[in-house]
């Protein structure tokens, strides 16, 4: 019993240390710039320290929970679907996962509101609250649809074992062509929307799903076929948002 | 904002993130797969850890680092600091800060930790957690530094992105095959909870203080840089590893030849 307790304490201390090492660079960078470059004292040192402790404990818990919870769920679902053998259900699940996790994403909501402001200022839409809200909502819906489509395409690719780079290059080509056609003010937002869609909870789940699928299908290599879902989910929003801008512009 | 309000915000944000996911998983597990999850208790506890961990993490960042980081981004881009009528060379500290903060926030990005753990597990240790994360962080650092230069110089975003695409496509044909999907993925995972708020603040700060830039038009785009450059750096990391292994093999061979008696 005491040995088990000691082991637990040891593990906890080790993972706390690991998190501390992960966070050290931020503290160093912010500290250095504050003191040496901006040359201002650190405001509210107590608050910062308290926050740092929260961050440390939070990161430690998160990493622990990944291995205990999120990874096993993703894998179990992948095996479950592989065993059930129904491609239709798997694809429906993939779409729901992509769409459902994106539509409520706070970072996306923030960027969509920003984008509506740009559009109103530029005269692409009427400068009223209602028009802005509907533009922002349309944008969010577009991005969520695109991520749903991305996970579906990505899962089909894993099932078929097609090489990923042809998809990505086709996507790049589409982005380049559409960039020349889309209204200028949508371009920055479109490019950024690819980065904000994949949240911290979605990424481990989707990764575990992809790798789990690749592992449970004979002849698939988890490294070669299992990864790539996130890549699709960050490329399709660019294409879809450029398209959204073209349709509305 | 009071500490309590900040915590409440972190709780709400995390719940928004998690509730739809849990609902979808639940529905499919219960009605479609109809199979109990193995180790249900342990798994649920793990999910609880993830949710509580993220809340504390975000709440803590909001309390400790984000205000300071935003303030710093503002201070560094302030004309009073840079000097009035400055050229692009006068923003050296901004580029340095961009690179440093890009690197540091990426190393702490929980989503990247997750992908790295998985990649190291699947590759049997050939890809190390630390190596992958460093490669991605270097990519983000370069990307954001270049992105701030773009805002300062006012050059069009799409030329940078298209040039980046060309590099990625060329690299794809030369990089070891197994790294390619992972490299593409790493572009998407770099930009979430830690990086986006700080980087967005930097972009908007720059675009609103550099003369002739509009925050609404030029403030966007930094995240795009942060998601494109890691693709290159991760493939580069694998190429470097392969090149070094090949050189070591060649050296060994040469030495073996030398050691042979005539």
């Amino acid at each position: 019993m005491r040995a088990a307790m000691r082991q637990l304490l040891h593990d906890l201390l080790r993972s706390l240390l690991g998190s501390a090492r992960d966070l050290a660079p931020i503290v160093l960078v912010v500290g250095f710039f504050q003191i040496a470059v901006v040359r201002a004292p650190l405001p509210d040192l107590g608050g910062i320290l308290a926050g740092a402790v929260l961050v440390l404990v939070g990161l430690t818990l998160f990493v622990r929970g990944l291995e205990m919870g999120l990874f096993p769920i993703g894998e179990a679902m992948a095996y479950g679907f592989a065993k059930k053998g129904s491609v239709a259900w798997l694809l429906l699940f993939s779409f729901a996962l992509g769409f459902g996790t994106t539509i409520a994403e706070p970072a996306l909501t923030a960027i969509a509101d920003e984008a509506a402001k740009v559009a109103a200022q530029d005269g692409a839409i009427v400068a009223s609250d209602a028009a802005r809200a509907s533009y922002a909502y349309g944008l969010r819906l577009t991005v969520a649809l695109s991520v749903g489509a991305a996970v579906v395409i990505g899962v089909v690719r894993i099932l078929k074992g097609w090489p990923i780079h042809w998809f990505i290059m086709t996507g790049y080509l589409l982005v380049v062509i559409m960039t020349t056609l889309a209204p200028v003010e949508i371009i920055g937002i479109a490019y950024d929307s690819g980065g904000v869609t994949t949240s911290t909870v979605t990424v481990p789940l989707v990764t575990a799903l992809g790798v789990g699928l690749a592992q449970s299908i004979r002849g698939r290599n988890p490294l070669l076929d299992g990864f790539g879902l996130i890549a699709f989910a960050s490329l399709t929003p660019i294409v879809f948002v450029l398209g959204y801008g073209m349709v509305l512009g | 904002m009071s500490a309590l309000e900040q915590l409440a915000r972190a709780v709400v944000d995390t719940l928004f993130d998690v509730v739809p996911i849990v609902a979808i998983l639940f529905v499919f597990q219960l009605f479609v797969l109809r199979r109990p999850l193995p180790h249900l208790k342990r798994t649920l506890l793990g999910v609880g850890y993830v949710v509580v961990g993220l809340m504390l993490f975000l709440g803590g960042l909001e309390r400790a680092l984000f205000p300071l980081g935003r303030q710093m981004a503002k201070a560094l881009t302030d004309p009073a600091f840079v000097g009035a009528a400055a050229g692009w060379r006068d923003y050296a500290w901004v580029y340095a800060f961009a690179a440093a903060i890009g690197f540091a926030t990426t190393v702490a990005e929980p989503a990247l930790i997750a992908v790295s753990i998985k990649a190291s597990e699947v590759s049997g240790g050939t890809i190390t957690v630390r190596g992958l994360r460093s490669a991605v962080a270097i990519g983000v650092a370069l990307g954001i530094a270049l992105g701030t230069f773009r805002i300062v110089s006012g050059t069009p975003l799409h030329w940078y992105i298209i040039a980046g695409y060309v590099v990625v496509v060329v690299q794809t044909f030369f990089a070891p095959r197994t790294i390619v999907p992972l490299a593409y993925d790493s572009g998407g995972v770099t930009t979430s909870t830690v990086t986006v708020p700080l980087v967005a603040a930097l972009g908007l700060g720059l675009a609103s203080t550099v003369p002739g830039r509009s925050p609404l038009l030029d403030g966007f785009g930094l995240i795009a840089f942060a998601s494109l450059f890691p693709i290159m750096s991760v493939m580069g990391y694998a190429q470097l590893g392969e090149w070094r292994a090949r050189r070591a093999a060649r050296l060994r061979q040469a030495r073996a030849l030398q050691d042979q008696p005539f």
Side-chain angles (χ1 to χ4, degrees), chain A residues 23-47:
Chain A
L23 294 166
I26 301 193
V27 177
L28 284 179
V29 168
V30 171
F32 170 79
F33 274 86
Q34 184 75 6
I35 292 163
V37 183
V38 180
R39 300 224 182 101
L42 286 169
D44 182 26
L45 198 64

Side-chain angles (χ1 to χ4, degrees), chain B residues 12-99:
Chain B
V12 170
D13 273 4
T14 314
L15 284 182
F16 258 96
D17 230 17
V18 173
V19 167
I21 302 177
V22 171
I24 291 163
L25 292 177
F26 189 75
V27 165
F28 276 88
Q29 189 69 36
L30 213 64
F31 298 110
V32 180
L33 291 178
R34 292 202 208 114
R35 269 165 26 126
L37 276 174
H39 315 293
L40 185 64
K41 250 191 175 155
R42 196 182 139 84
T43 311
L44 287 182
L45 188 66
V47 174
Y49 279 177
V50 165
V51 174
V52 175
L54 261 186
M55 283 174 186
L56 293 179
F57 186 73
L58 284 178
L61 281 179
E62 199 50 65
R63 205 169 147 64
L65 277 167
F66 287 167
L68 202 59
R70 287 197 198 105
Q71 204 187 320
M72 199 168 288
K74 230 170 150 179
L76 287 174
T77 53
D78 198 316
F81 178 81
V82 183
W88 63 269
R89 281 187 197 82
D90 300 309
Y91 287 87
W93 277 119
V94 172
Y95 310 141
F97 178 70

Side-chain angles (χ1 to χ4, degrees), chain A residues 18-172:
Chain A
S19 305
R21 218 170 30 198
D22 293 339
L23 294 166
I26 301 193
V27 177
L28 284 179
V29 168
V30 171
F32 170 79
F33 274 86
Q34 184 75 6
I35 292 163
V37 183
V38 180
R39 300 224 182 101
L42 286 169
D44 182 26
L45 198 64
I48 291 178
L49 281 180
V53 171
L54 287 185
V55 171
L56 197 64
V57 175
L59 190 61
T60 309
L61 273 180
F62 175 84
V63 172
R64 200 70 212 261
L66 269 185
E67 315 223 25
M68 278 172 62
L70 285 190
F71 282 162
I73 291 183
E75 277 158 25
M77 307 239 7
Y79 295 138
F81 278 113
K83 205 155 190 188
K84 192 173 167 67
S86 159
V87 175
W89 276 117
L90 173 61
L91 294 185
L92 191 67
F93 171 71
S94 309
F95 183 82
L97 195 63
F99 183 88
T101 56
T102 310
I103 191 83
E105 170 73 36
L108 176 63
T109 312
I111 220 170
D113 292 343
E114 240 5 271
K117 265 191 238 156
V118 181
Q121 218 169 53
D122 254 54
I125 56 171
V126 189
S128 74
D129 278 349
R132 269 200 295 269
S134 104
Y135 184 89
Y137 183 70
L139 195 62
R140 274 170 58 195
L141 207 62
T142 307
V143 174
L145 277 175
S146 73
V147 176
V151 183
V152 170
I153 300 172
V155 164
V156 171
R157 180 194 79 87
I158 294 175
L159 297 181
K160 298 280 185 190
W162 289 326
I164 188 171
H165 54 268
W166 297 119
F167 288 87
I168 299 293
M169 286 174 198
T170 312
Y172 282 175

